[in-house]
Amino acid sequence: MTNDIALAEDLTQEVFIRAFNKLELFRGEAAFGTWLYGLAVRVILNGLRAARRVSKREWQAALESEQLQESLFGQEQAHLRSRLRAAFNKLPSDLRVAVLLYDVEGKSHEEVAAILGIGTGAARMRLSRGRAQLRNLLKDVFEEWKNG
């Protein structure tokens, strides 16, 4: 979700600290994993809001990462990964989280709904809208791929 290993590590640590400090608030109404995922999503979204400003040094690190990917995976695959990452990052955070939880983490619609604190229908709608926006953002990539 962060697209930044260091920030992800910091936020992971923050999630476990908050979970430990708020463990007495777990009421058992849902599975512990669902409660923990919900806490993690809230911490990560708050952390992303706080880290929106990107410094020049971070842009340089991103560029170096792109160059490393090109050398390891080849220019075409690195380009596709970069385009997918950029499109995914353009999604609004509520849609990005739904797509991530369902398509990447393999959570069910019910689990996504419980984690986000919304109804199952709303979770399905966010997933559908997120996928549609990704398709729209990546339509030129699909055309390039089809035309080989």
Side-chain angles (χ1 to χ4, degrees):
M1 286 178 63
T2 64
N3 202 26
D4 178 336
I5 292 172
L7 180 59
E9 289 171 346
D10 290 345
L11 292 175
T12 300
Q13 184 175 5
E14 181 67 24
V15 166
F16 284 107
I17 291 169
R18 291 240 183 115
F20 181 78
N21 290 335
K22 295 184 180 278
L23 193 56
E24 71 275 358
L25 298 176
F26 175 64
R27 297 185 304 254
E29 294 172 356
F32 179 76
T34 303
W35 177 80
L36 186 59
Y37 257 94
L39 179 70
V41 166
R42 287 188 298 278
V43 168
I44 291 167
L45 289 177
N46 288 333
L48 288 173
R49 283 186 203 106
R52 287 211 194 258
R53 288 170 275 139
V54 178
S55 71
K56 185 177 182 180
R57 183 178 52 200
E58 289 169 325
W59 277 106
Q60 183 60 36
L63 178 62
E64 290 170 4
S65 174
E66 296 283 328
Q67 291 168 348
L68 177 61
Q69 282 187 16
E70 282 185 24
S71 67
L72 292 175
F73 302 110
Q75 188 173 9
E76 185 176 330
Q77 188 175 5
H79 175 71
L80 289 174
R81 285 176 185 255
S82 174
R83 295 287 303 275
L84 179 59
R85 186 180 314 111
F88 190 74
N89 288 333
K90 286 181 182 177
L91 290 178
S93 60
D94 60 333
L95 303 182
R96 186 172 57 239
V97 170
V99 171
L100 179 71
L101 289 173
Y102 187 84
D103 288 331
V104 178
E105 296 290 329
K107 300 295 181 191
S108 70
H109 291 292
E110 293 75 18
E111 290 172 315
V112 172
I115 289 167
L116 298 178
I118 59 177
T120 304
R124 289 176 186 268
M125 185 179 300
R126 286 185 187 182
L127 177 62
S128 177
R129 287 181 180 166
R131 286 175 172 172
Q133 285 188 24
L134 274 176
R135 276 192 299 275
N136 189 43
L137 290 167
L138 294 170
K139 63 184 170 191
D140 59 328
V141 174
F142 291 133
E143 289 300 319
E144 287 176 23
W145 181 71
K146 284 189 337 189
N147 297 328

